[in-house]
Amino acid sequence: MIYAVWVPLLMPFVAVPAARRLADALAPLRAVRLLASTAVGLALCSTLALVLLVVPGATQLSAVAAVGELVKPLAAAPAAVTVPLALAALALLSGCTAAVVRTARRHWVELQRARQSAECSGGELAVLRDSRPDAYALPALPGSPGRIVVTTGMLRALDPAERDALLAHERAHLAGRHHLFLAAAELAALCHPALRSLRAPMGYALERCADEAAAVAVGDRRVAARAIGRAALAARAAEGVRARPRVALAAAAGPVPRRVAALLGRATHRPGVGRAAAAALLACLILSGAAALEATNDLHSSIEVAQGEVPQR
Amino acid sequence: MSQVQGISSEDPDPRAGGKPTPGPGVESAQASASVPGPAPEPSSAPERRPAGELESTVLAALWAADSPLTPGQVQGALGAPLARTTVTTILTRLYEKGTVTRTRAGRGFAYTPTEDAPGLTARRMHSELQKEEDRSTVLARFVSQLTDEDEQLLRELLDGDAR
């Protein structure tokens, strides 16, 4: 039994605290890319580690051993250890696979519906007669354009320049295909529970990307900041008494004030933190990948020994 | 950006020639090429944007208004300056698509947005998505919900900016 196999399974717990600090400290686009590669990379490595845990136990079955042309049992560890481990890993693995497949299918269905709504028109903007302020980008499938969905409540809460900022923001989501990053983060979170807390920083970094694009499009960072701020306040006012009580962590400011502060240049700049967090994440990713490779290698050579191809050292 | 150009063209700065810095001179030269004249060429910054984007901007202005708007009123309700002819062209195109309706108003038309077929489809989707609100992760909402602390902080940020 090699210990390297446990590293990819434990690494997400180490990586996530670093990732939380990343979204504010790094340039938005860089943060998005780093978060996406971390989430997907760590998810793949931990899934591979689960597979590697299943194999030694599975070879205890004579059918598997026959298929693998094993002439003697794997010398990895006693069956009393490998079999329960393999069963547990198999259960986790099939749980993850089922969840990933289910979620991916749900996303696909939602996108199909989005395509249906986009097909019957040429316009990029769909306005809903609804006094509750709301706006989002409806992503599209290849070959059909995405759409921007805005309620009349949102349009009336903003002044003309702010409306342009809102449209530019949503356009940036569509052009950057940001929904793919959100989906990747969500699928990764299904593979390892610790990766769940990467979804919020990912969402935040994507909003920051779109905010910066909006600021460039309207040519005024303060207009973009005001658009976000007023939209959020209007949405809250419309929510009124029906506001759902939220289990809020008051310690840190929520995403909206942080986005506004970043556009207004009021956010505290700590490039050192960003670099350190990015370095930590990359280190986690590399370590995780190397450990997964090492464990694969080790399993491979022990299988070769069991196949009688290589004399036991 | 384009506002700056507009201002500098209406008020030709006599000092611009005497200044050694090339920046403002170039800018006003660009602006004076595009802005004056009764029928401006579509060459100023906002008009170089794709037609679809301009249509969205005009449509958003119509939806934000309480009553039908004439092309002149639409022009005044836009964030970025657009030539009157451009506004009229866009409104005509939207009318031909059936996205807006129009009524006679004086010598011209006043335009009202309509809830067309795509709008209705979007509405259906919207209500479906609201049902499964916390399950739907494909959508990035423009603003997320605020906590009490967030609201306080946000007001301070915006007030500080207004001052």
Side-chain angles (χ1 to χ4, degrees):
Chain A
M1 190 92 269
I2 177 144
Y3 298 104
V5 75
W6 299 104
V7 174
L9 290 174
L10 296 175
M11 200 49 86
F13 293 105
V14 183
V16 162
R20 287 217 201 101
R21 289 178 178 76
L22 197 77
D24 261 324
L26 228 56
L29 191 59
R30 212 173 284 171
V32 165
R33 288 185 181 148
L34 192 53
L35 284 171
S37 37
T38 308
V40 172
L42 291 180
L44 287 178
C45 288
S46 77
T47 310
L48 177 60
L50 286 181
V51 173
L52 294 178
L53 283 174
V54 170
V55 173
T59 56
Q60 298 292 330
L61 295 173
S62 54
V64 176
V67 169
E69 296 174 358
L70 304 186
V71 293
K72 53 186 169 187
L74 279 189
V81 180
T82 54
V83 171
L85 256 183
L87 286 176
L90 189 64
L92 285 175
L93 206 53
S94 35
C96 289
T97 313
V100 166
V101 168
R102 208 170 40 233
T103 309
R105 269 190 54 191
R106 206 188 68 221
H107 281 187
W108 183 250
V109 168
E110 282 184 16
L111 288 179
Q112 287 286 1
R113 265 193 244 142
R115 170 144 85 175
Q116 281 167 13
S117 79
E119 257 172 6
C120 50
S121 93
E124 67 163 350
L125 178 67
V127 180
L128 301 174
R129 217 188 284 272
D130 193 333
S131 59
R132 284 167 297 181
D134 198 0
Y136 49 86
L138 210 50
L141 296 171
S144 70
R147 314 200 71 195
I148 300 169
V149 180
V150 188
T151 61
T152 47
M154 178 65 89
L155 291 176
R156 287 181 184 161
L158 303 177
D159 75 19
E162 292 162 2
R163 288 200 299 265
D164 279 350
L166 162 68
L167 292 176
H169 173 104
E170 300 301 341
R171 232 169 250 143
H173 278 320
L174 294 177
R177 304 193 66 74
H178 288 174
H179 66 285
L180 293 180
F181 290 95
L182 280 181
E186 207 203 353
L187 293 182
L190 296 173
C191 297
H192 195 293
L195 295 177
R196 273 181 214 160
S197 33
L198 285 186
R199 286 179 301 180
M202 174 68 100
Y204 177 76
L206 288 171
E207 293 304 319
R208 287 280 304 125
C209 273
D211 288 348
E212 290 296 330
V216 169
V218 297
D220 188 341
R221 299 179 69 81
R222 285 181 311 167
V223 168
R226 259 198 345 255
I228 298 160
R230 287 178 58 178
L233 290 175
R236 183 161 168 84
E239 221 172 59
V241 207
R242 294 178 296 113
R244 277 173 287 171
R246 279 166 57 96
V247 192
L249 293 171
V256 172
R258 275 157 61 212
R259 283 164 61 193
V260 171
L263 280 173
L264 294 176
R266 308 280 180 75
T268 44
H269 249 301
R270 289 177 302 169
V273 174
R275 272 195 293 273
L281 270 194
L282 280 179
C284 287
L285 199 53
I286 291 169
L287 211 59
S288 193
L293 271 184
E294 170 63 21
T296 314
N297 244 340
D298 185 75
L299 182 66
H300 183 242
S301 50
S302 69
I303 286 176
E304 280 190 335
V305 168
Q307 285 172 332
E309 286 177 13
V310 184
Q312 197 162 8
R313 280 159 286 176
Chain B
M1 199 166 64
S2 46
Q3 277 175 333
V4 174
Q5 286 186 355
I7 289 164
S8 61
S9 77
E10 277 169 32
D11 177 30
D13 193 347
R15 291 166 300 167
K19 269 189 180 177
T21 48
V26 170
E27 208 172 71
S28 64
Q30 272 181 352
S32 58
S34 67
V35 173
E41 293 296 310
S43 59
S44 69
E47 281 161 65
R48 246 187 267 119
R49 282 154 48 189
E53 293 190 11
L54 293 178
E55 282 178 22
S56 304
T57 308
V58 167
L59 195 56
L62 287 175
W63 275 106
D66 292 319
S67 52
L69 296 185
T70 63
Q73 289 168 323
V74 170
Q75 198 183 14
L78 297 178
L82 266 192
R84 176 73 165 271
T85 48
T86 313
V87 173
T88 313
T89 311
I90 295 168
L91 284 170
T92 311
R93 211 182 299 148
L94 289 173
Y95 173 71
E96 282 162 2
K97 279 190 199 171
T99 316
V100 301
T101 57
R102 65 186 186 189
T103 47
R104 275 258 160 229
R107 279 183 295 158
F109 292 104
Y111 293 83
T112 323
T114 59
E115 209 161 25
D116 51 355
L120 291 175
T121 320
R123 164 176 295 280
R124 215 176 310 128
M125 257 214 83
H126 183 69
S127 47
E128 261 178 63
L129 289 171
Q130 287 209 318
K131 259 184 275 167
E132 42 190 331
E133 190 164 15
D134 28 44
R135 293 207 313 152
S136 175
T137 46
V138 203
L139 300 180
R141 288 219 133 73
F142 183 50
V143 287
S144 48
Q145 282 185 315
L146 299 179
T147 62
D148 290 337
E149 292 81 5
D150 283 354
E151 185 176 354
Q152 186 62 31
L153 197 55
L154 195 52
R155 286 190 193 283
E156 280 166 21
L157 277 168
L158 293 177
D159 288 350
D161 182 51
R163 250 180 259 135

